[in-house]
Amino acid sequence: MNTPRIASLVPSATETLVALGLGPWLVARTGFCVHPAAQVAAVPKVGGTKDVNLSKLRRLAPTHVILNVDENRRETADALREFVPELIVTHPCRPQDNLALFEQLRAAFADVPGVNDRAAALSADFQAALTRCRSRPQRAERVLYLIWREPWMTVARDTYIATLLAEAGWQTWPDVVGGEHGAARYPALTGQEHWLADVDRVLLSSEPYRFGPAHLAEAQALCPRARVQLVDGELLSWWGVRSTAGLDYLCQLAADAVP
């Protein structure tokens, strides 16, 4: 293949591309693609995941653009098809989908030296972490994972976050599925739902809303009998290379069981 010029419009993908050794071929990223900081600092920004500056991206002449079904807009993909030779659309919905993701990226850039070996190593590390997580004793808990306030927003059971938490035996509430894409994947709450009284644990994510200590009491009032804690949203929602650390982080949280 000719030397690739890669634009990544997905933070998780940008970090993973660098882990595969493809950092030198990155020509564009979003402003949210901040990891790994040293390697992406000099890569031009082309707006956000939802508001891509298409004119600037066109001038950077990418040969490949990495997209995600949840994070990017369909109309962005349609516009990119007019001037980008290859779009790579990602959509990991479950932790085990990371294995297919690593293969998807490996296949796209297999001619770049070192990519095949690095992809194999990422897959092996992830599989080992998944095995560690599944082999530990599990305690079933009802969990509310909050990503926003005013209104409160959480995750449907078929999202990556919910299926990751299920690896620890945790069942997210409400009992809804959101489908392949769209707002239903992240339902809003009124705060009056009857099942809130039965939640065992409330997780306040650090992203996209930056929950902090000031929000603990407010969340406790929402679920009076639950344990409320702040969690690293990047580790629990980013797929790709970060998924391995995410599984280990989840196991650490689960090991600290509710008395």
Side-chain angles (χ1 to χ4, degrees):
M1 66 183 287
N2 296 324
T3 301
R5 294 177 58 81
I6 307 168
S8 176
L9 305 182
V10 193
S12 299
T14 302
E15 186 177 46
T16 304
L17 290 165
V18 173
L20 288 169
L22 292 164
W25 289 271
L26 277 172
V27 299
R29 63 179 172 107
T30 74
F32 299 107
C33 297
V34 297
H35 298 301
Q39 289 88 337
V40 303
V43 179
K45 300 176 187 177
V46 290
T49 56
K50 298 290 194 293
D51 55 348
V52 178
N53 185 328
L54 293 171
S55 297
K56 184 174 182 180
L57 186 54
R58 183 191 291 267
R59 291 194 298 271
L60 291 166
T63 59
H64 299 73
V65 175
I66 317 299
L67 299 159
N68 178 260
V69 170
D70 264 348
E71 299 197 43
N72 305 118
R73 300 185 189 280
R74 181 183 293 273
E75 50 265 38
T76 299
D78 292 340
L80 290 171
R81 289 190 177 93
E82 297 180 4
F83 63 92
V84 179
E86 185 168 351
L87 302 186
I88 300 174
V89 180
T90 61
H91 192 36
C93 293
R94 306 171 301 164
Q96 53 265 46
D97 291 345
N98 283 292
L99 296 172
L101 171 80
F102 296 143
E103 172 57 22
Q104 181 184 20
L105 296 177
R106 183 209 66 76
F109 303 107
D111 291 341
V112 177
V115 166
N116 291 323
D117 289 343
R118 292 188 187 98
L122 291 182
S123 294
D125 289 346
F126 172 81
Q127 188 60 63
L130 187 60
T131 299
R132 286 194 298 272
C133 191
R134 290 177 173 178
S135 63
R136 62 171 297 281
Q138 294 190 348
R139 177 190 176 100
E141 294 188 35
R142 291 171 168 245
V143 173
L144 175 63
Y145 187 98
L146 291 173
I147 61 170
W148 204 260
R149 65 187 285 273
E150 296 183 348
W152 297 111
M153 293 178 68
T154 184
V155 296
R157 285 189 178 168
D158 53 344
T159 56
Y160 182 88
I161 293 169
T163 55
L164 177 71
L165 297 179
E167 294 291 347
W170 292 356
Q171 185 177 61
T172 57
W173 284 81
D175 180 10
V176 298
V177 294
E180 283 291 309
H181 55 83
R185 292 173 60 77
Y186 303 98
L189 307 178
T190 67
Q192 304 303 314
E193 288 79 2
H194 67 87
W195 51 263
L196 290 170
D198 298 320
V199 169
D200 299 307
R201 191 182 297 233
V202 178
L203 304 179
L204 300 181
S205 178
S206 60
E207 66 165 39
Y209 188 92
R210 187 167 291 280
F211 283 104
H215 303 110
L216 292 171
E218 189 178 4
Q220 189 70 73
L222 188 68
C223 300
R225 66 174 290 270
R227 178 179 183 177
V228 180
Q229 61 194 120
L230 302 170
V231 295
D232 187 326
E234 290 182 350
L235 284 171
L236 295 177
S237 66
W238 285 37
W239 36 261
V241 64
R242 192 169 292 237
S243 60
T244 297
L247 282 165
D248 288 336
Y249 175 66
L250 173 64
C251 288
Q252 181 182 0
L253 290 174
D256 184 16
V258 176

